[in-house]
Amino acid sequence: MDFDQSEDRRMLAETLSRYLSDRYDIAARNAVAYDAPYHSPDRWAEMAELGILHALVDEDHGGMGGSGFDIATVFEELGRALCPEPILPALMGLRLLAAAGAELDPVLAGTDQIAVAIGEPEAPWDLDALETRARKAGDGWVLTGRKSVVYGGHVAGRLLVAAKTDAGLGLFEVLARDAEITPYGMIDGGGAAEVFLDATPARLLIADATEAIEAALNAGRVALCAEAVGAMDATKDLLLDYLRTRQQFGRPIGSFQALQHRAVDLVTEIEQARSITILAADALDGPEAGRRAAMAKNLIGRAARLVAEEAIQMHGGIAMTWEAAVSHYGKRLVMIDAQLGDTDFHLTRVMEGLQA
Amino acid sequence: MDLQFTEEELAFHEEVRAFLAADLPQDLAAKVRRSDTLSKADHDRWHAILNARGWLATTWPEEFGGPGWSPVQRHIFEEESARAHAPRTVPFGLAMLGPVLIRFGSKAQQAEYLPRILDGADWWCQGYSEPGAGSDLASLRTRAVREGDHYIVNGQKTWTTLGQHANRIFCLVRTDAQVKPQAGISFLLIDLDTPGIEMRPIKLIEGGHEVNEVFFTDVKVPVENLVGEENSGWTIAKFLLTHERTNIAGTGFSTQAFEEVKSLARARRVNGRRLIDDPLYAARLAQVEIDLEAMKITNLRMLARAQKTGQPGVESSMLKIKGTVIRQELNDLARRALGPAAAPFPAEALAGNAAVAPEEHRADAARYFNNRKLSIFGGSNEIQRNILTKALLEL
Ligand SMILES: Cc1cc2nc3c(=O)[nH]c(=O)nc-3n(C[C@H](O)[C@H](O)[C@H](O)COP(=O)(O)OP(=O)(O)OC[C@H]3O[C@@H](n4cnc5c(N)ncnc54)[C@H](O)[C@@H]3O)c2cc1C
């Protein structure tokens, strides 16, 4: 048993952490995160150069990592810095392209930005409920439907789209310029888009794609959990610092036992969150990947909301302001739950496992 | 034991409903329903309509222009107003300063300021909190030094809600630094046009502008603007706290929010079924409904007691804690119901064909984040627990 990170991953974490604290302090982050295009092309290029994307892909596909722990290492640092760059869609897109046997190099180099378009207005997370249809047209295919809240869809040149065929669920490539795309920013920073497909030309990548899509989603879920762990750690640091320094009634508010016990509960929940993320990262490429990811996403959804709400409450009014970093951490922590399946969605999956 | 309203109260209920149906402008109600920011003109318009009916200053006695309502009547009015999506009346003049002037003000102050609150000539804001004085309000440091016929005020107030619309501010200021903190505070009325005052906006977590900082540099305030005796400000502040407590449970808002979430969950199709058919979501909603139904009775029990004794009891701290937690939980359920569609921002950017959420729900995430304030201001829920511990538990 060894819960220490490998030397390589420690170095990766350090490099990334140094880079992010250098270039993405909270003020710089906010300047990028809330205004179009909701990410920084310069930072994106620098991060690709640092090898962040390579760390998400295994050596067989031209990367330098690709395990659950590599992914968790990267995303924990991204979460700590609240980085708004669309790296999650890149991660899931790279997995899907690898499964399709497609070329990854331009994506790994950062020059080709991709987004993964799966969720729909009435089917945010459940693949069975998707309604976007693919139809054969001449040599190729055309897609019709609407993809909703497509993270990274605001900057991507290519979209990897899940659509129903007569044979099942297929994965298609659509060029962004062929679709109707409405980009927008998010309340917790970063960007996404509505994607409207109306007999839009598409190229078939994987005919029976359910398994590949589930695998990409599970990788994304591990990434989000790790991101939340990083953001929770940073939030805890902000909170403890504030509890030590904020004076009311002639003493630091951290001296009130009413707050001390709640801070301890947060620290405990964060350790639980870290543990379940380790469990899910470890299982990512095995048969238990889906169930572990569901467990992790459920626990993270509960813990992240608690940490966000309690950290805001224990800061008092100051946490209600845009100027306070904790407000931005709070928003991200709460909204992570809505990505790739929320607490209840994943609890249902775990419950189904019990019934089987 | 009789949980029903009396005949007269029921008749009053009908009267309030009829008034709201006839006189509440639909465009205003729609804005409230969508959580749009109301302009000063919006607030003024609703105040004028209420004032014309004599229902604006609900806590004032009749001789000063109030309707002379009992606590139960006020409760009925507040519940129905929330249900109809009426704008909240702005409390600073009506619910805070008005009762203070009626209780502690001079005849001249009452004659000058009360009518101006009713007719909208004055918009007051509340200058209590300072950067260093939040929960520990008595540690406030804004100083007022007497020089002849004036006080010279120096210092800073913060969190001043809707100060951007205000022309006047009522402040707690330090007039004696030698005595124990509570004994050296005075209550001062200040015209915001006085030279030396600067107001700066504070941007909130969801991006809105509803609070401000106010800086005072050598601001000359006439001594006749002192309310009550010099150094009696703490007594006034404590009196005002009990007034801030009316409608503290906010069950009208919660009932409204519950109905909204329920219809959203019935209308919204997610993953092949109505959201309300998801047993986990339905369980969350049912849980809050149970808490809310209990809260309504708790609220009425305390109201009945206040009606008998003429005083809201310390138990109102329970209403504050439980009431805000329920409202926040309902905000959470609304955001949760929308899933990823709650996240686009600013919400109004996504209208028409590209909209991801129904119009009246597009700001649900913003409202969830903004309403974290409910458990922080007006005496945080921790401070309420301290009050209850001292007053009730005999530990
Ligand atoms: C949106 C908004 C609008 C506001 N509007 C106004 C306004 O119009 N006018 C005005 O004067 N003020 C206003 N306020 C200020 C509000 O009253 C204060 O925020 C509140 O009193 C808390 O003070 P604080 O923010 O300084 O937090 P602090 O007092 O610094 O508290 C920080 C944390 O410590 C906890 N704490 C403090 N003391 C204790 C204790 N003894 N035991 C246990 N826990 C404790 C608190 O509960 C909180 O969790 C507003 C605030 C907000 C957020």
Side-chain angles (χ1 to χ4, degrees), chain A residues 173-309:
Chain A
E173 177 195 84
V174 170
L175 298 182
R177 62 163 188 266
D178 290 336
E180 186 193 329
I181 292 182
T182 309
Y184 47 82
M186 310 301 274
I187 196 163
D188 52 337
E194 294 303 291
V195 176
F196 297 90
L197 305 163
D198 184 8
T200 306
R203 188 164 71 89
L204 180 68
L205 292 181
I206 304 175
D208 182 4
T210 305
E211 210 173 295
I213 290 174
E214 276 295 349
L217 287 173
N218 287 335
R221 287 164 185 147
V222 167
L224 283 171
C225 290
E227 181 187 348
V229 169
M232 283 192 271
D233 267 339
T235 305
K236 176 195 71 182
D237 291 345
L238 289 170
L239 174 63
L240 296 184
D241 198 44
Y242 198 73
L243 292 178
R244 288 183 197 111
T245 49
R246 170 68 170 170
Q247 303 271 331
Q248 287 290 278
F249 303 100
R251 48 193 192 143
I253 56 173
S255 66
F256 299 122
Q257 207 164 54
L259 302 189
Q260 289 170 350
H261 286 192
R262 284 156 65 185
V264 167
D265 287 346
L266 290 197
V267 172
T268 307
E269 287 307 317
I270 294 171
E271 289 315 314
Q272 285 282 90
R274 199 187 313 282
S275 297
I276 202 88
T277 303
I278 290 172
L279 187 70
D282 185 58
L284 183 59
D285 293 312
E288 286 287 281
R291 186 168 161 78
R292 298 283 191 238
M295 287 180 162
K297 195 69 178 41
N298 170 271
L299 193 152
I300 290 284
R302 292 181 281 131
R305 175 188 173 197
L306 182 80
V307 169
E309 292 184 350

Side-chain angles (χ1 to χ4, degrees), chain A residues 242-243 246-249 251 253-254 256-259 262 310-321, chain B residues 92 96 125-137 157-163 170 204 210-211 244 370 372-384 386:
Chain A
Y242 198 73
L243 292 178
R246 170 68 170 170
Q247 303 271 331
Q248 287 290 278
F249 303 100
R251 48 193 192 143
I253 56 173
F256 299 122
Q257 207 164 54
L259 302 189
R262 284 156 65 185
E310 286 284 81
I312 290 173
Q313 181 66 25
M314 287 192 263
H315 269 83
I318 198 73
M320 289 301 304
T321 66
Chain B
F92 309 109
M96 297 184 186
C125 58
Q126 181 189 24
Y128 276 25
S129 304
E130 298 181 2
S135 299
D136 182 13
L137 186 57
K157 293 295 174 181
T158 190
W159 304 119
T160 321
T161 297
L162 299 185
F170 56 90
L204 286 187
E210 67 183 54
V211 298
E244 251 185 286
N370 179 279
R372 300 315 303 171
K373 72 188 175 193
L374 297 177
S375 48
I376 295 172
F377 65 14
S380 74
N381 285 10
E382 290 73 32
I383 295 301
Q384 306 295 343
N386 287 347

Side-chain angles (χ1 to χ4, degrees), chain A residues 115 117 132-136 140-143 158-165 168-175 201-207 209 213:
Chain A
T132 298
R133 297 284 314 181
R135 214 167 22 85
K136 268 228 164 76
W141 293 77
V142 291
L143 307 187
R158 284 194 290 158
L159 304 163
L160 307 184
V161 182
K164 290 249 157 93
T165 65
L169 189 63
L171 183 75
F172 297 84
E173 177 195 84
V174 170
L175 298 182
R203 188 164 71 89
L204 180 68
L205 292 181
I206 304 175
I213 290 174

Side-chain angles (χ1 to χ4, degrees), chain B residues 331-344:
Chain B
N331 291 150
D332 179 72
L333 287 184
R335 174 190 59 70
R336 198 181 281 279
L338 295 173

Side-chain angles (χ1 to χ4, degrees), chain A residues 21 37 39 44 53-55 62 101 109 123 131 163 173 190 192 231 253 284 310 320:
Chain A
S21 54
H39 95 121
W44 174 264
L53 299 171
H54 283 86
E131 281 172 4
E173 177 195 84
I253 56 173
L284 183 59
E310 286 284 81
M320 289 301 304

Side-chain angles (χ1 to χ4, degrees), chain A residues 34 38 121-126 129 146 148-149 151 180 182-188 194 196 246-250 258-259 262 305 308-310 312-314 316-323 327-328 330-332 334-335 337-339 342-345 347-348 351, chain B residues 130-137 139 159 202-207 211 268-273 278 280-281 284 328-329 332 335-336 338-346 349-350 353-356 365-366 368-373 375-376 380-383 385-386:
Chain A
Y34 297 108
Y38 313 106
E122 294 189 353
W125 308 308
D126 185 354
R146 173 181 181 172
S148 194
V149 196
Y151 279 80
E180 186 193 329
T182 309
Y184 47 82
M186 310 301 274
I187 196 163
D188 52 337
E194 294 303 291
F196 297 90
R246 170 68 170 170
Q247 303 271 331
Q248 287 290 278
F249 303 100
L259 302 189
R262 284 156 65 185
R305 175 188 173 197
E309 292 184 350
E310 286 284 81
I312 290 173
Q313 181 66 25
M314 287 192 263
I318 198 73
M320 289 301 304
T321 66
W322 192 270
E323 204 177 308
S327 74
H328 302 284
K331 284 183 285 187
R332 181 71 193 123
V334 168
M335 299 314 293
D337 193 42
Q339 277 180 271
D342 72 356
T343 321
D344 290 353
F345 177 79
L347 187 59
T348 306
M351 286 160 62
Chain B
E130 298 181 2
S135 299
D136 182 13
L137 186 57
S139 69
W159 304 119
I202 296 174
K203 189 172 170 183
L204 286 187
I205 181 167
E206 85 296 351
V211 298
R268 191 168 168 76
R269 287 194 67 80
V270 184
N271 299 335
R273 60 182 172 188
D278 174 352
L280 294 183
Y281 190 87
R284 290 179 187 274
Q328 290 174 333
E329 188 62 26
D332 179 72
R335 174 190 59 70
R336 198 181 281 279
L338 295 173
F345 180 76
L350 274 185
N353 188 30
V356 293
Y368 161 83
F369 288 113
N370 179 279
N371 269 347
R372 300 315 303 171
K373 72 188 175 193
S375 48
I376 295 172
S380 74
N381 285 10
E382 290 73 32
I383 295 301
R385 288 186 177 93
N386 287 347

